[in-house]
Amino acid sequence: PYPCLPPAERRRKFAEDGNIVLTSFGRQPPSEYEDFLEVLRRLRRNYPNIVYRIVRSGEPIKAREEWVRQEIRVLDTEGIYELLLSSDVHLLPKGNTKRVVVSSTFFQTVGSLCVTVSRRSRFFEALPSGEEAPILLYEDRESLEEILRGVFESEELRERIRRNMKRYAEENSVAKIVDRFEELFYSVLV
C-alpha cells in the first residue's frame, strides 16, 4: 500500500462556526467538480450554511456562487493538512480509469481524519469497504446527495469514518510500509 502520514488531531468540530465547510484541492480537470457543485447547489436549499472551498494550482473552475470560495495556489503537505483540519468534509474529485491505480491524494490525506467523499472508481477498489471503509464513495449525483446528507446529519457516521481512517492510516503508516519493503528486499536477497 501507499504509505500514509500518521493520524492528526482533529481541531475542528463539525460546523463549529455555523458553516459546513467542504474542501477540494488539486489540479483535476474542472469537469471532475461538476457533481459536487450540482449536488451542493441542491443541498443549499436545506443547508444554507454550506461553504465550498476549492484550492487549485491552475485556473479556477467556473462557479460564480458566493458560497464557492476559490483560491489559486500550490499546496505542500503542511498546507493540505491545514486546509483539511479546518474543514468538515473533503470532496476528492476523481475521474474514471480502466487501469489499476491508487489515489495518492487519498493516501496522503487519510491521516487528516477529514471525512472524505469521492466517486466510486478503480482508484479506491483496494480499500476496505462496507462498515470498515475509510472513505465514502458515491455512484451518481443522487447517491452523492444522500451521502452528504448523512454526513451532515449523523455524528455517528462521521465518527465511524474517522475511526476507519485512523485505523487505515495507522496500519499503513510510513514506518510500517518501510518495514514491509525492507522485509521484501531482504527476502529477495536471501
Side-chain angles (χ1 to χ4, degrees):
Y2 198 102
C4 302
L5 295 175
E9 188 68 36
R10 289 291 303 164
R11 290 178 251 163
R12 180 177 171 84
K13 302 262 188 254
F14 188 81
E16 70 182 11
D17 57 2
N19 292 318
I20 300 173
V21 180
L22 301 101
T23 299
S24 294
F25 68 90
R27 55 189 173 105
Q28 294 82 359
S31 61
E32 293 183 14
Y33 294 81
E34 290 173 4
D35 287 349
F36 299 143
L37 287 166
E38 180 57 36
V39 168
L40 292 176
R41 286 180 185 114
R42 287 188 239 166
L43 286 171
R44 276 192 50 88
R45 295 178 200 139
N46 291 22
Y47 306 92
N49 58 337
I50 286 174
V51 173
Y52 185 25
R53 294 189 307 196
I54 302 171
V55 179
R56 289 179 48 82
S57 57
E59 64 182 58
I61 61 171
K62 290 180 172 67
R64 305 289 180 236
E65 294 88 347
E66 79 286 347
W67 50 271
V68 178
R69 302 191 183 145
Q70 294 192 66
E71 188 178 343
I72 304 301
R73 69 180 164 121
V74 176
L75 296 168
D76 59 10
T77 304
E78 186 176 319
I80 291 168
Y81 268 68
E82 281 180 30
L83 187 67
L84 294 177
L85 290 172
S86 64
S87 300
D88 297 307
V89 179
H90 175 199
L91 298 177
L92 177 52
K94 283 290 178 197
N96 285 317
T97 180
K98 294 180 180 176
R99 296 184 218 140
V100 176
V101 291
V102 296
S103 170
S104 59
T105 303
F106 175 75
F107 286 97
Q108 291 170 355
T109 61
V110 66
S112 73
L113 308 183
C114 182
V115 173
T116 302
V117 178
S118 193
R119 174 178 287 284
R120 183 176 305 283
S121 69
R122 303 234 28 211
F123 285 96
F124 308 107
E125 67 184 9
L127 293 176
S129 59
E131 290 295 309
E132 302 299 315
I135 187 171
L136 294 166
L137 300 174
Y138 71 94
E139 302 288 342
D140 54 27
R141 290 181 179 174
E142 288 69 32
S143 68
L144 174 58
E145 184 172 347
E146 184 179 322
I147 285 169
L148 289 176
R149 283 182 190 278
V151 171
F152 296 170
E153 295 175 9
S154 174
E155 175 68 24
E156 182 180 322
L157 173 61
R158 293 190 302 268
E159 286 306 311
R160 177 173 52 87
I161 296 300
R162 284 191 193 113
R163 278 193 310 272
N164 293 347
M165 293 176 87
K166 181 177 182 179
R167 180 175 34 247
Y168 193 85
E170 288 170 344
E171 290 171 358
N172 296 285
S173 68
V174 172
K176 288 186 178 181
I177 299 304
V178 167
D179 288 345
R180 288 184 199 160
F181 273 115
E182 284 181 350
E183 288 172 18
L184 177 63
F185 178 73
Y186 289 120
S187 72
V188 171
L189 291 177
V190 176

